[in-house]
Amino acid sequence: MESPIRKKMLQAFSESDGEFVSGQALADFLGCTRTAVWKHIEELRREGFELEAVRRKGYRILHAPDKVTENEIRYGLNTKNLGQTIYYQESIDSTQKKAHQLAYDNCPEGTLVIAEEQTSGRGRMTRSWHSPKYSGIWMSIILRPNLPPQQAPQFTLLAAVAVVQALEEVCGLNPEIKWPNDILINGKKVTGILTELQAESDKINSIIIGIGMNVNSKQEDFPEELQKIATSVAIEKGKIVSRSSIIQKILEKLELYYHLYMEKGFGPIKLLWEGYAISIGREIIARTITGTIEGKAIGITNDGVLKIEDSSGRIHEIYSADIEIQGNS
Ligand code: BTX
């Protein structure tokens, strides 16, 4: 993790909104000498920040590099809690695994675990998640809501809304949600969400929300088995996109909807979610651990559970499944 001084320095630049901040103002704000300020500025430059220094005006950031280290995420981040503690590693087995350890060791709520690459990224059950270096967002966020464990699956839907809105606002894309945890663009998967828990029988200790997003991958970068089902933000947008801006927006939206949820319950999130859902109203096949159900997806319950009506008119409530929309691949 980085030094508290650098953290404050990036905060000062964030607040100045692209304007110059004088060396003296920085020194006063940070409680250090101007020579120390200069050393930290040099350190930022070495990390790829482009900084302009003008006599009598001070410093300003012209360009932050597209890495996803603590500095890039913090610069311009507009949240109270989420992402205010960041654990970054260039390469990691799985951010989800690390987040479990940190949660167990009582890290602050809102801690973000992020890496440039995952060597054993995981999906649901025993599936793997392809997470190559520099081309995507591989991150896990730790929340500690005071709720019973049954409500945890709603957080997958809440996170999906945050991701969709971040992609809309930062990239101008129009993604859709396939219940429960896939975000699709033009029918292909751009993001997967994995919600896991540390809980007692009646109380959540931590929710760990894992988000995997293909951002700058090219179609040929995907392994053979993903070629037909996966896409990336850059493929859909036709140009490279800054990962840190998407991350910041996801964190901001997650924080917003997390607070809304804690104040008003799942109702408002459900309404938003329904506006982006593609499976509702369609004929689907749901493959669960216990069997396969075919029918029409008629909606989700107030708990986020999927309701399917089969051909005999019976309604099934599905807690977890893989969904195939009929007529789609
Ligand atoms: P899922 O089980 O719904 O989807 C996993 C399936 O998705 C795989 O079996 C494969 O078919 C497909 N897949 C694998 N990699 C990709 C990819 N990069 N793009 C599109 N499709 C893919 C989804 O699980 C939940 C994924 C969460 C990943 C995050 S990354 C950060 C965090 N750390 C970690 O280890 N996992 C989470």
Side-chain angles (χ1 to χ4, degrees), residues 43 58 107 139 263:
E43 189 62 31
C107 66
M139 68 181 191
E263 261 175 44

Side-chain angles (χ1 to χ4, degrees), residues 228-239:
K228 287 210 170 77
I229 59 166
T231 189
S232 75
V233 175
I235 293 169
E236 300 301 327
K237 188 101 192 103
K239 66 173 193 197

Side-chain angles (χ1 to χ4, degrees), residues 94-96 118 121-124 127 129-130 181 189 214:
S94 154
T95 58
Q96 203 71 359
Q118 295 186 117
R122 53 184 213 228
R124 292 180 299 161
R127 296 179 193 139
W129 187 259
H130 177 65
N181 70 329
K189 188 140 120 182
N214 307 314

Side-chain angles (χ1 to χ4, degrees), residues 4-24:
I5 291 208
R6 290 265 296 292
K7 193 164 153 180
K8 275 189 95 178
M9 185 176 227
L10 284 163
Q11 187 197 335
F13 280 123
S14 282
E15 284 167 5
S16 80
D17 220 12
E19 294 302 315
F20 283 97
V21 188
S22 76
Q24 192 56 53

Side-chain angles (χ1 to χ4, degrees), residues 93-97 118 120-125 127-131 137-140 181-182 189-190 192-194 210-212 214 222 226 229-231 322:
D93 46 2
S94 154
T95 58
Q96 203 71 359
K97 192 170 155 205
Q118 295 186 117
S120 310
R122 53 184 213 228
R124 292 180 299 161
M125 273 91 71
R127 296 179 193 139
S128 63
W129 187 259
H130 177 65
S131 329
I137 295 171
W138 327 121
M139 68 181 191
S140 303
N181 70 329
D182 287 341
K189 188 140 120 182
V190 70
I193 297 169
L194 177 66
I211 297 176
N214 307 314
F222 289 112
L226 298 181
I229 59 166
T231 189
D322 278 321

